[in-house]
mmCIF file of all heavy atoms in Angstrom:
data_model
loop_
_atom_site.group_PDB
_atom_site.id
_atom_site.type_symbol
_atom_site.label_atom_id
_atom_site.label_comp_id
_atom_site.label_asym_id
_atom_site.label_seq_id
_atom_site.Cartn_x
_atom_site.Cartn_y
_atom_site.Cartn_z
ATOM 1 N N ASP B 828 -2.620 13.706 -29.304
ATOM 2 C CA ASP B 828 -3.070 13.530 -30.664
ATOM 3 C C ASP B 828 -1.807 13.582 -31.543
ATOM 4 O O ASP B 828 -0.863 14.315 -31.213
ATOM 5 C CB ASP B 828 -3.950 14.689 -31.175
ATOM 6 C CG ASP B 828 -5.187 14.906 -30.341
ATOM 7 O OD1 ASP B 828 -5.460 14.108 -29.452
ATOM 8 O OD2 ASP B 828 -5.868 15.960 -30.544
ATOM 9 N N GLY B 829 -1.801 12.805 -32.616
ATOM 10 C CA GLY B 829 -0.677 12.867 -33.524
ATOM 11 C C GLY B 829 -0.823 11.907 -34.680
ATOM 12 O O GLY B 829 -1.734 11.060 -34.679
ATOM 13 N N GLY B 830 0.073 12.024 -35.663
ATOM 14 C CA GLY B 830 0.019 11.135 -36.774
ATOM 15 C C GLY B 830 1.421 11.008 -37.397
ATOM 16 O O GLY B 830 2.210 11.934 -37.312
ATOM 17 N N ALA B 831 1.728 9.753 -37.872
ATOM 18 C CA ALA B 831 3.021 9.537 -38.501
ATOM 19 C C ALA B 831 2.868 8.622 -39.639
ATOM 20 O O ALA B 831 1.932 7.792 -39.711
ATOM 21 C CB ALA B 831 3.949 8.891 -37.458
ATOM 22 N N ALA B 832 3.679 8.755 -40.651
ATOM 23 C CA ALA B 832 3.562 7.956 -41.879
ATOM 24 C C ALA B 832 4.933 7.686 -42.520
ATOM 25 O O ALA B 832 5.874 8.457 -42.354
ATOM 26 C CB ALA B 832 2.659 8.694 -42.888
ATOM 27 N N LEU B 833 5.033 6.590 -43.258
ATOM 28 C CA LEU B 833 6.252 6.237 -43.992
ATOM 29 C C LEU B 833 5.830 5.852 -45.423
ATOM 30 O O LEU B 833 4.736 5.212 -45.603
ATOM 31 C CB LEU B 833 6.967 5.030 -43.330
ATOM 32 C CG LEU B 833 7.473 5.179 -41.911
ATOM 33 C CD1 LEU B 833 7.823 3.819 -41.353
ATOM 34 C CD2 LEU B 833 8.679 6.156 -41.886
ATOM 35 N N ILE B 834 6.688 6.127 -46.379
ATOM 36 C CA ILE B 834 6.591 5.536 -47.663
ATOM 37 C C ILE B 834 7.740 4.527 -47.804
ATOM 38 O O ILE B 834 8.899 4.934 -47.619
ATOM 39 C CB ILE B 834 6.673 6.589 -48.836
ATOM 40 C CG1 ILE B 834 5.465 7.525 -48.767
ATOM 41 C CG2 ILE B 834 6.828 5.909 -50.167
ATOM 42 C CD1 ILE B 834 4.175 6.889 -49.234
ATOM 43 N N VAL B 835 7.357 3.277 -48.049
ATOM 44 C CA VAL B 835 8.406 2.209 -48.147
ATOM 45 C C VAL B 835 8.275 1.551 -49.499
ATOM 46 O O VAL B 835 7.228 1.502 -50.124
ATOM 47 C CB VAL B 835 8.298 1.165 -47.019
ATOM 48 C CG1 VAL B 835 8.699 1.810 -45.703
ATOM 49 C CG2 VAL B 835 6.880 0.634 -46.897
ATOM 50 N N SER B 836 9.404 1.028 -49.943
ATOM 51 C CA SER B 836 9.413 0.376 -51.298
ATOM 52 C C SER B 836 10.430 -0.769 -51.330
ATOM 53 O O SER B 836 11.217 -0.946 -50.401
ATOM 54 C CB SER B 836 9.801 1.393 -52.370
ATOM 55 O OG SER B 836 11.225 1.584 -52.349
ATOM 56 N N SER B 837 10.401 -1.539 -52.411
ATOM 57 C CA SER B 837 11.443 -2.536 -52.630
ATOM 58 C C SER B 837 12.745 -1.795 -52.894
ATOM 59 O O SER B 837 12.806 -0.657 -53.290
ATOM 60 C CB SER B 837 11.064 -3.407 -53.859
ATOM 61 O OG SER B 837 11.061 -2.590 -55.021
ATOM 62 N N LEU B 838 13.899 -2.527 -52.640
ATOM 63 C CA LEU B 838 15.182 -1.938 -52.885
ATOM 64 C C LEU B 838 15.360 -1.624 -54.341
ATOM 65 O O LEU B 838 15.980 -0.575 -54.742
ATOM 66 C CB LEU B 838 16.310 -2.852 -52.388
ATOM 67 C CG LEU B 838 16.323 -3.184 -50.889
ATOM 68 C CD1 LEU B 838 17.545 -3.972 -50.564
ATOM 69 C CD2 LEU B 838 16.250 -1.953 -50.021
ATOM 70 N N GLU B 839 14.831 -2.500 -55.183
ATOM 71 C CA GLU B 839 14.943 -2.281 -56.614
ATOM 72 C C GLU B 839 14.237 -0.986 -57.084
ATOM 73 O O GLU B 839 14.788 -0.220 -57.867
ATOM 74 C CB GLU B 839 14.334 -3.465 -57.369
ATOM 75 C CG GLU B 839 14.593 -3.531 -58.850
ATOM 76 C CD GLU B 839 13.820 -4.642 -59.522
ATOM 77 O OE1 GLU B 839 13.312 -5.541 -58.810
ATOM 78 O OE2 GLU B 839 13.731 -4.601 -60.763
ATOM 79 N N TYR B 840 13.044 -0.796 -56.527
ATOM 80 C CA TYR B 840 12.340 0.428 -56.883
ATOM 81 C C TYR B 840 13.109 1.687 -56.397
ATOM 82 O O TYR B 840 13.198 2.650 -57.141
ATOM 83 C CB TYR B 840 10.920 0.395 -56.220
ATOM 84 C CG TYR B 840 10.024 1.493 -56.635
ATOM 85 C CD1 TYR B 840 9.115 1.348 -57.685
ATOM 86 C CD2 TYR B 840 10.022 2.672 -55.926
ATOM 87 C CE1 TYR B 840 8.268 2.396 -58.068
ATOM 88 C CE2 TYR B 840 9.170 3.731 -56.315
ATOM 89 C CZ TYR B 840 8.279 3.539 -57.388
ATOM 90 O OH TYR B 840 7.462 4.597 -57.753
ATOM 91 N N ALA B 841 13.635 1.558 -55.197
ATOM 92 C CA ALA B 841 14.433 2.709 -54.692
ATOM 93 C C ALA B 841 15.589 3.009 -55.558
ATOM 94 O O ALA B 841 15.908 4.176 -55.859
ATOM 95 C CB ALA B 841 14.889 2.392 -53.235
ATOM 96 N N ARG B 842 16.303 1.967 -56.002
ATOM 97 C CA ARG B 842 17.421 2.195 -56.927
ATOM 98 C C ARG B 842 17.004 2.835 -58.193
ATOM 99 O O ARG B 842 17.678 3.760 -58.716
ATOM 100 C CB ARG B 842 18.116 0.846 -57.204
ATOM 101 C CG ARG B 842 19.125 0.445 -56.117
ATOM 102 C CD ARG B 842 20.024 -0.733 -56.545
ATOM 103 N NE ARG B 842 19.274 -1.968 -56.606
ATOM 104 C CZ ARG B 842 19.154 -2.832 -55.560
ATOM 105 N NH1 ARG B 842 19.764 -2.566 -54.424
ATOM 106 N NH2 ARG B 842 18.454 -3.918 -55.732
ATOM 107 N N LYS B 843 15.840 2.362 -58.771
ATOM 108 C CA LYS B 843 15.353 2.930 -60.048
ATOM 109 C C LYS B 843 15.048 4.432 -59.877
ATOM 110 O O LYS B 843 15.197 5.222 -60.786
ATOM 111 C CB LYS B 843 14.046 2.202 -60.457
ATOM 112 C CG LYS B 843 14.296 0.992 -61.336
ATOM 113 C CD LYS B 843 12.991 0.496 -62.003
ATOM 114 C CE LYS B 843 11.900 0.195 -60.994
ATOM 115 N NZ LYS B 843 10.821 -0.638 -61.507
ATOM 116 N N MET B 844 14.610 4.789 -58.622
ATOM 117 C CA MET B 844 14.343 6.235 -58.371
ATOM 118 C C MET B 844 15.629 7.054 -58.118
ATOM 119 O O MET B 844 15.502 8.233 -57.809
ATOM 120 C CB MET B 844 13.490 6.376 -57.109
ATOM 121 C CG MET B 844 11.991 6.110 -57.365
ATOM 122 S SD MET B 844 11.205 6.666 -55.815
ATOM 123 C CE MET B 844 11.249 8.475 -56.062
ATOM 124 N N GLY B 845 16.777 6.344 -58.077
ATOM 125 C CA GLY B 845 17.980 7.079 -57.673
ATOM 126 C C GLY B 845 18.103 7.192 -56.154
ATOM 127 O O GLY B 845 18.859 8.047 -55.720
ATOM 128 N N LYS B 846 17.405 6.387 -55.384
ATOM 129 C CA LYS B 846 17.501 6.429 -53.949
ATOM 130 C C LYS B 846 17.949 5.096 -53.354
ATOM 131 O O LYS B 846 17.474 4.602 -52.350
ATOM 132 C CB LYS B 846 16.118 6.814 -53.373
ATOM 133 C CG LYS B 846 15.716 8.190 -53.771
ATOM 134 C CD LYS B 846 14.485 8.629 -52.988
ATOM 135 C CE LYS B 846 14.198 10.148 -53.336
ATOM 136 N NZ LYS B 846 13.017 10.703 -52.643
#
Side-chain angles (χ1 to χ4, degrees):
Chain B
D828 303 351
L833 298 168
I834 293 289
V835 290
S836 77
S837 66
L838 297 186
E839 190 187 345
Y840 187 93
R842 275 192 290 269
K843 270 192 306 196
M844 279 194 77
K846 294 190 174 182

